[in-house]
């Protein structure tokens, strides 16, 4: 393990200054992913800037009826917050579907967005991986990939983004606020994860040294009827093999508003916009849901051992949307 | 059995672990925690190629790193003797650390870096550049490999004519099954601290038997056996992977060279190539039966993988030699040598994967015959050993099946598959029979009457988390006719003398036998009313003669496993809802810890059925995701309502009545779950683990089946 310095930041600007003054600095939130990767030599920071004490853990309603979640709010506190549960139940469900109780108590919202893939080749520092060592190759494509991406991957990387939380945030048009030495700024979550292409090691569009300060959810009445469904290989403490965040508002049998995002199928939380467009204004029936899911998954490029994810995601989407439609009609 | 003064036997009474408080409060020191002045830390460097030679180890830059005190590799390591046989057979060449430049598999130790702190050692080890001359490797296991051979000493056992028996059978099942590479993943990683003290090599280790390890170290380093002392006070799980392992050799090598204490611990990832695993198996079971399910022919052939350095055979076909008779009966093993790490014993070696194939096939036969799976087994209960013709010491499988069925609620079961739905879940139940050998190995023990009226018992047991120390206190209390609190137990120290390791479900029985004999001898020597001298009165025993005089019998534990599962055919998820294990496994010494041990086995069977699998990458030859995120074991949420109970089954030839319970808990559990998945969905899963993608794929191949 590489020797590193540890500093506790005093204020956001202090954190940015510390980070900016050291090469290879990393912000330390809950450390649930970063510290593991430091032990295995995949992350080798020279300095950890601890941001847990910064006053960034608030969760509050915005004036327009949305919600702002501080970057250092823990996954547990976020999942338990009454307004999260009332306005964006799929977000609370997604958080509770992730990791374990102990990890959720430590993990922060900002850190959750920036966690690294759990691809087994990425986590083995001794072998090739284009994320770790650009140009070294992607052994997953010819090797073990039964849980890898079917959408948005490339010939250079087929790893998935591991977050559950981010899938729900993607469905609800979250906006990520951050700060750099130049001041505060923000970007839609949809822009946070750049296309993989031939640069899988470039995992976010954040400027160098940026500190995520909060995540804002714009008002979305449809989100009050939302659901997160996660399929995994064991009942807890496992990353998804496929997940769906969905929200549905039906008026007179017609889809008035719909949100749909897929998890564990792409290098990013996958907003299913093609499916949403196909459903908008149409009938809220299982047939329509299936047709929309098929339209979304038409772009899928599965590998030999993850073809199962295509029908899995289709069935999951239909199942969750059907449940929401039935509950809306009840 | 001797009763205590109150007329109540200590054996059979629930007792919390003697060291339980120390463990939960952190006071118990494990091998990686004991402190010594001047301690240095070693970290092993493992090969990144799967076959070839080490061309160069660039030690100089690493020696210049902070804190580094030494680097050992094939170019500078002292000679180690690997030409001997230990308790478990010829020494594993893996223990001949850095003796040549050959790399026989990925993750083979090629160097040791020792530094002042563990962090420095690990950093320097990661930085050590090693050049290889790689050679093509072959790591692909499969049933269709023509190179598979019959391992010496494991020739086929058979009677009758299998092909004729199958031809004459009204009903035939002929199926192939497979199980993957599985890892012990003991919670405590391996750790050893070695130092020279007063001319003796003192080692604190985490292992399953200090006499075995001390003997191996004496041989490896050509030392007088008396000058080696190994202790393993607390062991955080073993399950077969804690014999003599390379970290020990590394620690002794460096402690000897540096003349200061050295500790070497393994990382979780290193445990995926250095301490053994259950090899993958490819099995074929052929059953021929009359329409009523009575077997005419039984053929079980199991192929498993081994390394190029040792010949370890997973004896998966053995359960059939005990469980079922047929006029034509053949059990056979094949082995495939690959460029992979050496496999080893892992909880219920042979029986665990073998029972999955055999008991799944029995369920398929029950389905074909239209006979209830329990009734099928009862119809095939042998009177004597199917191949040996010897009597059973006791065989209470029938009681397990019948009482288990009653408690599980089997009588109400609708045999039709795929007809019970609850929301998105399909429900089903399944069962399996199980067996595991019972045995005892000659061991020594001492019993001392102290001047203060208390007793001290020394027996070289190893408490791998099972509660062995507590079990010995109960056995000793009965044998000495005293209260368990009046007996001090000393274990896990090679100075105590030879004894069986904690393995093969034989530890408790072997140690208890020695303790009971020592206590009996001591009582004979104690004169009622006479004063005990200050040094106490000690009796020592060796059970070699008594065990050697045991009559030849079929000596086994038996069990029946039951499971209820829910399967979501749309997502492929399988969840176990409840499990019940019925055991006939000899006299139970401590019901509290025995129940835990049996449940632990059942949980592992669940884990084996649904989760456990190490994927070996063809290109690198190494395991992908060799950690507890990549290798799934059942989590709490996977473990449902579980019950284990036992029927009265004392071994009549054992002084305490013990058979052993270390392994029987896992046997048959995976088959019971697989059979329940069939009952839920109508689809058979013959390849473990039953992953969601496999459920989905199978469901699509056989829609509505």
């Amino acid at each position: 393990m590489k020797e590193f310095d540890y500093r506790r930041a005093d204020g956001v600007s202090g954190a940015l200054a510390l980070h900016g003054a050291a090469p290879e600095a990393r912000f330390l939130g809950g450390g649930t992913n970063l510290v593991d990767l430091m032990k295995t030599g995949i992350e080798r920071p020279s300095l950890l800037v601890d941001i847990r004490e910064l006053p960034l853990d608030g969760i509050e309603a915005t004036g327009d009826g949305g919600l702002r979640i501080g970057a250092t709010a823990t996954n547990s506190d976020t999942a338990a917050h009454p307004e999260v549960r009332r306005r964006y139940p799929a977000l609370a469900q997604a958080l509770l579907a992730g990791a374990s109780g102990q990890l959720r108590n430590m993990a922060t919202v900002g850190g959750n967005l920036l966690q690294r893939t759990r691809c087994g080749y990425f986590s083995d520092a001794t072998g090739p991986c284009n994320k770790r060592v650009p140009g070294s190759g992607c052994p997953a494509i010819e090797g073990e990939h039964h849980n890898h991406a079917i959408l948005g991957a490339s010939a250079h990387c087929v790893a998935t983004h591991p977050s559950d939380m981010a899938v729900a945030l993607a469905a609800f048009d979250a906006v990520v606020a951050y700060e750099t030495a130049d001041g505060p700024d923000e970007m839609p979550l949809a822009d946070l994860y750049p296309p993989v292409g031939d640069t899988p090691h470039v995992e976010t569009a954040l400027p160098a040294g940026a500190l995520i300060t909060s995540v804002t959810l714009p008002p979305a009445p449809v989100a009050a009827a939302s659901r997160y469904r996660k399929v995994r290989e064991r009942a807890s403490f496992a990353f998804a093999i496929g997940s769906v965040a969905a929200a549905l508002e039906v008026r007179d049998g017609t889809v008035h508003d719909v949100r749909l995002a897929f998890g564990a199928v792409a290098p990013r939380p996958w907003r299913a916009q093609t499916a949403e467009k196909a459903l908008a204004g149409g009938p809220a029936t299982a047939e329509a849901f299936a047709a929309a899911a098929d339209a979304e998954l038409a772009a899928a490029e599965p590998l030999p051992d993850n073809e199962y994810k295509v029908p899995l995601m289709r069935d999951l989407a239909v199942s969750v949307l059907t449940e929401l439609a039935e509950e809306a009609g009840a | 059995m001797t009763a205590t003064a109150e007329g109540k036997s200590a054996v059979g009474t629930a007792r919390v672990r003697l060291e339980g408080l120390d463990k939960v409060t952190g006071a118990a020191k494990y091998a990686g925690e004991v402190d010594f002045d001047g301690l240095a830390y070693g970290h092993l460097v493992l090969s990144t190629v799967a076959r070839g030679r080490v061309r160069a180890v660039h030690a100089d830059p690493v020696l210049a790193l902070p804190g580094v005190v030494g680097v050992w590799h094939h170019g500078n390591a002292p000679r180690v003797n690997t030409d001997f046989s230990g308790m478990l057979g010829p020494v594993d060449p893996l223990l001949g650390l850095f003796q040549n430049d050959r790399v026989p598999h990925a993750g083979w130790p090629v160097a040791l870096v020792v530094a002042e702190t563990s962090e420095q050692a690990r950093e320097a080890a990661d930085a050590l550049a090693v050049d290889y001359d790689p050679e093509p490797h072959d790591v692909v296991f499969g049933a269709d490999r023509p190179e598979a051979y019959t391992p010496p000493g494991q020739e086929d056992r058979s009677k009758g004519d299998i092909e004729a028996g199958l031809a004459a059978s009204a009903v035939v099942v002929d199926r192939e099954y497979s199980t993957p590479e599985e890892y012990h993943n003991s919670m405590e990683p391996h750790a050893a601290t070695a130092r020279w003290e007063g001319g003796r090599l003192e080692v604190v280790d985490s292992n399953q038997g200090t006499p075995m390890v001390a003997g191996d170290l004496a041989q490896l380093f050509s030392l007088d056996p008396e000058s080696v002392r190994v202790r393993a006070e607390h062991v955080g799980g073993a399950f077969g992977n804690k014999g003599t392992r390379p970290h020990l050799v590394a620690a002794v090598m460096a402690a000897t060279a540096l003349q200061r204490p050295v500790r070497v611990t393994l990382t979780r990832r290193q445990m995926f190539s250095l301490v053994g695993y259950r090899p993958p198996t490819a099995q074929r079971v052929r059953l021929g039966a009359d329409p009523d399910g009575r077997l005419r022919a039984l053929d079980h052939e199991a192929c498993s993988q081994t390394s190029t350095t040792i010949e370890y055979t997973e004896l998966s076909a053995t359960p059939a030699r005990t469980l079922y008779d047929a006029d034509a009966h053949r059990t056979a093993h094949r082995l495939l040598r690959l460029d992979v790490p050496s496999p080893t014993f892992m909880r219920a070696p042979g029986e665990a994967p073998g029972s999955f194939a055999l008991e799944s096939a029995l369920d398929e036969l029950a389905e074909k015959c239209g006979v209830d799976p329990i009734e099928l087994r009862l119809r095939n209960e042998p009177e004597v050993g199917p191949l040996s013709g010897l009597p059973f010491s006791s065989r209470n499988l029938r009681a397990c099946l019948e009482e288990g069925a009653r408690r599980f609620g089997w009588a109400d079961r609708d045999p039709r598959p795929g007809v019970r739905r609850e929301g998105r879940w399909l429900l089903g139940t399944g069962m399996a029979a199980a067996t595991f050998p019972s045995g005892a190995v000659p061991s020594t023990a001492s019993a001392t009457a102290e001047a203060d009226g208390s007793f001290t018992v020394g027996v070289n047991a190893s408490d791998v988390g099972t509660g062995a120390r507590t079990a010995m206190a109960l056995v000793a209390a009965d044998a000495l006719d005293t209260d368990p609190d009046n007996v001090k137990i000393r274990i896990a120290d090679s100075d105590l003398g030879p004894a069986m390791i904690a393995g093969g479900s034989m530890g408790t029985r072997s140690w208890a036998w020695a303790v009971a004999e020592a206590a009996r001898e001591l009582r004979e020597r104690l004169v009622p009313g006479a004063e005990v001298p200050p040094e106490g009165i000690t009796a020592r025993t060796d059970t070699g003669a008594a065990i050697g005089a045991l009559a030849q019998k079929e000596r086994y534990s038996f069990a029946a496993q039951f499971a209820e599962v829910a399967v979501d055919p749309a997502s492929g998820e399988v969840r176990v809802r409840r499990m019940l294990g019925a055991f006939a496994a000899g006299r139970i010494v401590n019901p509290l810890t025995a129940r835990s041990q049996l449940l632990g086995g059942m949980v592992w069977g669940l884990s084996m059925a649904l989760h456990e699998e190490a994927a070996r990458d063809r290109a690198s030859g190494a395991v992908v995701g060799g950690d507890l995120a990549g290798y799934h074991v059942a989590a709490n949420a996977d473990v449902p309502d579980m019950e284990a109970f036992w029927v009265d089954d004392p071994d009549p030839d054992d002084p305490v009545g013990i058979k052993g319970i270390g392994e029987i808990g896992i046997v048959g559990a995976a088959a019971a779950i697989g059979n329940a998945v069939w009952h839920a969905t109508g689809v058979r899963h013959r390849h473990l683990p039953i992953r969601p993608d496999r459920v989905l794929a199978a469901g699509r191949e056989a829609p509505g089946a």
Side-chain angles (χ1 to χ4, degrees):
Chain A
M1 191 170 187
K2 181 179 167 186
E3 205 164 284
F4 61 91
D5 289 324
Y6 168 90
R7 298 289 295 278
R8 184 169 291 172
D10 183 19
V12 171
S13 56
L16 291 169
L18 283 170
H19 192 284
E24 307 290 330
R26 296 281 187 284
F27 292 118
L28 176 69
T32 56
N33 186 213
L34 176 60
V35 174
D36 280 354
L37 293 173
M38 287 168 64
K39 288 184 192 167
T40 50
I42 291 163
E43 288 276 9
R44 296 177 58 78
S46 60
L47 170 69
L48 290 185
V49 180
D50 189 339
I51 56 163
R52 280 186 73 88
E53 304 284 306
L54 300 186
L56 296 174
D57 61 345
I59 300 173
E60 62 211 20
T62 56
D64 59 3
L67 204 62
R68 181 163 48 239
I69 304 167
T72 63
T74 66
N75 285 190
S76 293
D77 287 349
T78 308
H81 197 277
E83 290 305 309
V84 173
R85 294 163 61 94
R86 190 170 68 86
R87 299 188 200 190
Y88 306 95
L91 174 58
Q93 292 164 17
L95 284 160
L96 292 176
S100 67
Q102 293 93 328
L103 290 168
R104 292 194 296 269
N105 287 343
M106 290 297 291
T108 62
V109 167
N112 187 314
L113 290 175
L114 300 182
Q115 64 181 305
R116 314 292 301 274
T117 184
R118 282 354 187 251
C119 170
Y121 296 98
F122 173 76
S123 62
D124 179 0
T126 64
C129 167
N130 285 328
K131 265 191 191 299
R132 273 189 290 102
V133 185
S136 61
C138 175
I141 292 168
E142 296 287 323
E144 268 305 307
H145 57 245
H146 87 270
N147 197 17
H148 283 63
I150 57 171
L151 288 163
S154 79
H156 303 277
C157 180
V158 291
T160 58
H161 194 272
S163 173
D164 292 299
M165 178 193 79
V167 181
L169 291 180
F172 302 143
D173 294 317
V175 174
V176 178
Y178 60 89
E179 204 160 321
T180 67
D182 298 333
D185 206 340
E186 63 179 35
M187 71 170 72
L189 180 70
D191 295 340
L192 180 64
Y193 305 107
V196 177
D198 57 1
T199 54
H201 59 289
V202 180
E203 294 181 352
T204 83
L206 287 172
L211 174 65
I212 294 179
T213 51
S214 69
V215 175
T216 300
L217 290 166
V222 68
S226 65
R227 180 149 307 157
Y228 187 74
R229 175 84 187 283
K230 174 178 181 176
V231 178
R232 46 187 152 180
E233 290 180 346
R234 63 180 170 190
S236 80
F237 206 4
F239 293 92
I241 59 172
S243 71
V244 164
L248 183 67
E249 188 179 342
V250 180
R251 291 190 186 170
D252 304 325
T254 304
V255 173
H256 178 73
D257 197 358
V258 62
R259 306 293 176 87
L260 188 65
F262 295 165
V265 292
R268 56 190 297 168
W270 188 265
R271 179 74 176 269
Q273 283 171 319
T274 305
E276 289 179 4
K277 286 198 187 89
L279 287 169
T285 60
E287 293 73 25
F289 299 149
D294 284 341
E296 186 69 43
L297 292 160
E301 293 180 295
L303 296 161
D305 295 335
N306 66 8
E307 283 180 336
Y308 74 96
K309 286 196 177 189
V310 178
L312 169 66
M313 295 310 298
R314 176 189 192 271
D315 288 352
L316 265 187
V318 172
S319 165
V320 173
L321 288 168
T322 303
E323 277 173 27
L324 289 169
E326 283 170 358
E327 285 162 24
Chain B
M1 263 78 40
T2 312
T4 53
E6 299 81 35
K8 195 170 182 311
S9 168
V11 170
T13 307
R15 275 263 170 173
V16 298
R17 286 174 174 78
L18 295 174
E19 71 289 344
L21 185 66
D22 283 351
K23 281 183 175 172
V24 297
T25 57
K29 293 287 182 207
Y30 286 79
E33 299 175 322
V34 290
D35 200 19
F36 294 111
D37 283 342
L39 184 61
Y41 298 80
H43 198 84
L44 286 167
V45 179
L46 308 187
S47 72
T48 55
V49 301
R51 186 183 167 92
R53 291 184 183 276
V54 177
R55 191 170 63 232
V57 177
H58 300 282
D60 287 347
V62 162
L63 284 164
L65 290 175
V68 174
V69 296
V71 177
W72 284 269
H73 50 84
H74 75 278
N76 69 346
R79 292 303 93 192
V80 168
N81 167 40
T82 54
D83 185 21
F84 70 96
S85 277
M87 257 177 90
L88 302 176
V91 68
D92 185 343
L94 180 60
L95 299 182
L97 222 48
F98 321 134
Q99 296 301 291
N100 58 56
D101 62 352
R102 278 228 64 91
V103 173
H105 62 73
W108 176 264
V110 294
L112 171 73
V113 177
V114 179
E116 297 291 345
T117 72
S118 66
E119 292 83 1
Q120 288 170 336
R122 190 163 175 176
E123 174 69 8
D126 286 348
L128 183 69
V130 179
D131 298 336
Y132 301 93
D133 290 321
E135 297 165 11
H137 61 261
D138 179 1
V139 298
V140 181
F141 175 76
D144 49 354
R145 297 287 303 258
E147 311 93 310
Y149 65 98
T150 304
Q154 302 297 345
E155 283 71 28
D156 299 2
R157 291 191 60 190
S158 65
K159 65 176 183 180
D161 184 335
I162 289 289
E163 304 305 330
L166 289 169
S169 295
V171 185
V172 172
V173 169
D174 179 354
R175 290 295 185 182
E176 291 181 7
Y177 305 84
S178 71
T179 62
E181 262 187 56
E182 296 163 352
Y183 283 76
H184 312 73
N185 273 315
S186 47
M187 199 187 297
E188 178 206 18
H190 296 62
T193 307
R195 62 181 177 140
W196 284 90
E197 184 78 19
R200 289 189 90 193
L201 176 64
E202 296 259 356
V203 179
V204 180
D205 183 38
S206 176
N207 64 50
Q208 288 174 245
T210 59
M212 171 178 69
V213 171
D216 288 347
L217 287 179
Q219 291 274 4
L220 285 160
F221 290 93
S222 304
L223 299 169
D224 171 8
E226 296 294 308
S227 68
V228 179
R229 184 184 188 194
V230 177
R231 286 175 291 162
E233 181 79 12
H234 300 293
V235 178
F239 315 110
N241 79 359
K242 283 185 177 161
T244 310
R245 293 296 178 189
H247 68 294
L248 261 163
V249 183
V252 173
M253 189 180 277
T256 305
L258 296 170
Q259 284 299 306
R260 63 186 279 195
V262 175
R263 170 175 306 155
V264 179
T265 54
L266 298 185
T267 65
R268 182 65 60 185
R269 195 167 283 272
Q270 289 176 333
M271 289 169 67
F272 280 83
S273 71
L274 293 181
V275 297
Y277 60 96
R278 193 196 303 286
T281 69
Q283 306 179 53
R284 184 182 183 191
V285 180
R286 294 189 295 168
L287 303 174
D290 291 336
D292 65 358
R294 284 194 170 78
L295 288 166
R296 282 176 171 269
L298 187 164
D299 184 30
H300 189 172
E301 183 172 311
C303 183
S304 63
Q305 146 187 321
T306 193
S307 66
T308 59
T309 59
I310 70 164
E311 234 171 13
Y312 170 84
T313 309
E314 185 78 11
L315 297 173
S316 301
T318 53
R321 296 173 185 170
T322 310
L323 280 174
Y324 306 111
D325 198 4
D327 286 343
H329 196 292
R330 189 184 77 107
T331 47
H333 297 100
R334 302 289 180 266
L335 207 50
L336 189 60
R337 296 194 99 139
L338 297 169
D339 301 312
V340 295
S342 295
T344 192
F345 313 100
M346 178 167 137
R347 202 173 197 175
E351 276 77 4
S355 67
F356 169 67
L358 180 66
E359 291 300 297
S360 297
L362 259 287
D363 206 63
E364 301 203 42
L365 181 65
E367 175 196 349
K368 277 197 169 182
C369 294
V371 175
D372 177 78
I374 291 178
E375 178 59 28
L376 179 76
R377 287 162 174 87
L378 291 173
R379 284 180 191 173
N380 284 292
E381 265 288 275
E383 295 294 316
V384 294
L387 292 172
S388 69
L390 292 169
F392 290 96
S393 63
S394 67
R395 181 181 174 111
N396 280 317
L397 177 57
R398 179 177 291 272
C400 294
L401 291 165
E402 290 175 344
E403 179 59 14
R406 192 187 67 76
R407 294 195 190 203
F408 189 77
W410 188 265
D412 304 330
R413 183 180 188 258
D414 179 344
R416 293 174 300 157
V419 297
R420 290 151 296 275
R421 187 174 275 279
E422 188 183 294
R424 63 187 173 97
W425 300 98
L426 290 168
L427 307 183
T429 52
M431 58 77 57
T435 184
F436 196 83
S438 166
V441 171
S443 298
T444 62
S446 67
T448 301
E450 307 287 0
D452 65 1
S454 70
F455 296 92
T456 301
V457 167
V459 60
N460 209 348
S462 184
D463 193 335
V464 293
T466 56
R469 190 181 278 102
T470 313
M472 290 308 106
L474 300 181
V475 169
D478 278 1
L480 292 162
D481 195 12
T482 188
D483 189 274
D485 295 333
N486 198 36
V487 185
K488 187 177 172 218
I489 302 290
R490 295 184 57 218
I491 63 166
D493 180 341
S494 60
D495 279 0
L496 289 168
M500 176 55 182
I501 62 168
S505 294
M506 292 187 276
T508 300
R509 183 174 173 207
S510 303
W511 307 321
W513 194 323
V515 167
E517 289 299 304
R520 188 181 53 75
E521 282 199 27
L522 177 64
R523 290 186 72 195
E524 283 175 4
R525 287 171 52 185
L526 290 179
V527 181
E531 196 140 304
V532 174
E535 71 274 17
I537 299 173
T538 297
R540 294 182 199 278
T541 48
D542 183 331
T543 56
I547 289 171
L550 272 178
Q552 274 221 314
K553 286 182 187 173
E554 293 275 347
R555 300 179 186 277
Y556 289 88
S557 293
F558 294 91
Q561 303 265 11
F562 297 83
E564 179 180 341
V565 305
V567 183
D568 177 359
S571 69
E573 291 162 297
V574 179
R575 299 284 182 259
V576 176
R577 291 203 163 180
R578 62 191 175 110
M579 288 181 81
L580 172 78
F583 297 92
R587 188 156 177 238
I588 299 303
V589 177
N590 184 353
L592 189 70
T593 50
R595 182 174 174 277
S596 292
Q597 204 171 352
L598 293 167
L599 289 178
M602 292 164 64
V603 169
W604 206 340
L606 183 164
S607 200
M608 173 183 171
L610 302 183
H611 308 301
E612 294 197 33
E613 170 183 37
R616 191 163 287 282
D617 184 58
R618 289 184 183 209
S620 72
V623 165
V624 185
D627 54 39
L628 291 175
Y631 183 94
H632 280 180
V633 301
N636 281 348
D638 295 294
V639 178
D641 178 14
M642 309 271 289
E643 184 187 346
F645 75 94
W646 43 88
V647 301
D648 196 35
D649 180 51
D651 186 308
D653 298 328
D654 183 86
V656 190
I658 297 169
K659 278 189 174 177
I661 58 166
E663 284 153 290
I664 186 75
I666 190 176
V667 185
I673 290 167
N675 294 339
V677 169
W678 169 79
H679 189 232
T681 63
V683 178
R684 287 281 171 196
H685 286 273
R686 303 185 182 93
H687 309 285
L688 295 184
I690 308 173
R691 288 191 327 222
D693 59 318
R694 290 178 175 158
V695 173
L696 289 171
R700 277 169 218 287
E701 279 163 21

